[in-house]
């Protein structure tokens, strides 16, 4: 997580909205927020509402997705997918549009 912040996130914080969304019901928003602060991440933390994961078709842990300003999913990575270069390309495209 720290590497994403330093290598990609810091470059786009003023152009792309980042959210860390917890999906584990045993992990409270307070725990997520404490982890965010411990890792010195500037992003917003949130909890998934009931049904959100099914609606977004998220079935694996550590899913990452980009949602355009029109609310449509424009890109997604499942667990273990994508690399820093592909994320950098994606953020560059989002920031430009």
């Amino acid at each position: 997580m720290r590497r994403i912040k330093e290598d990609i996130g810091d470059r786009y914080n003023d152009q792309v909205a980042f959210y860390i969304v917890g999906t584990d019901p045993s992990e409270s928003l307070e725990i997520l927020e404490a982890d965010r602060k411990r890792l010195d991440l500037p992003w917003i933390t949130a909890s998934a509402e009931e049904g959100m994961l099914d609606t977004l078709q998220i079935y694996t842990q550590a899913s990452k997705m980009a949602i355009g300003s029109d609310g449509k999913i424009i890109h997604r990575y499942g667990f273990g997918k994508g690399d820093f270069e592909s994320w950098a390309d994606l953020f560059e495209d989002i920031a430009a549009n």
Side-chain angles (χ1 to χ4, degrees):
M1 187 74 75
R2 182 175 298 283
R3 183 167 176 204
I4 291 173
K5 175 191 176 289
E6 292 171 354
D7 291 351
I8 296 172
D10 285 344
R11 283 187 265 165
Y12 300 101
N13 274 338
D14 61 340
Q15 299 167 311
V16 178
F18 292 88
Y19 292 85
I20 301 169
V21 181
T23 59
D24 181 344
S26 68
E27 188 174 55
S28 69
L29 191 54
E30 290 79 19
I31 291 172
L32 285 174
E33 185 63 13
D35 285 345
R36 182 196 68 78
K37 287 179 180 178
R38 180 179 54 78
L39 293 170
D40 190 32
L41 300 173
W43 309 321
I44 297 168
T45 54
S47 294
E49 292 184 1
E50 186 175 337
M52 182 181 122
L53 301 179
D54 284 334
T55 299
L56 294 174
Q57 298 176 347
I58 296 174
Y59 305 114
T60 62
Q61 63 181 347
S63 293
K64 303 160 201 77
M65 64 177 34
I67 302 173
S69 60
D70 60 0
K72 294 181 181 176
I73 297 171
I74 57 175
H75 207 77
R76 68 169 64 223
Y77 293 108
F79 177 73
K81 304 288 184 192
D83 56 22
F84 286 100
E85 289 75 29
S86 60
W87 273 99
D89 291 344
L90 174 62
F91 288 125
E92 191 66 36
D93 184 54
I94 292 169
N97 295 305

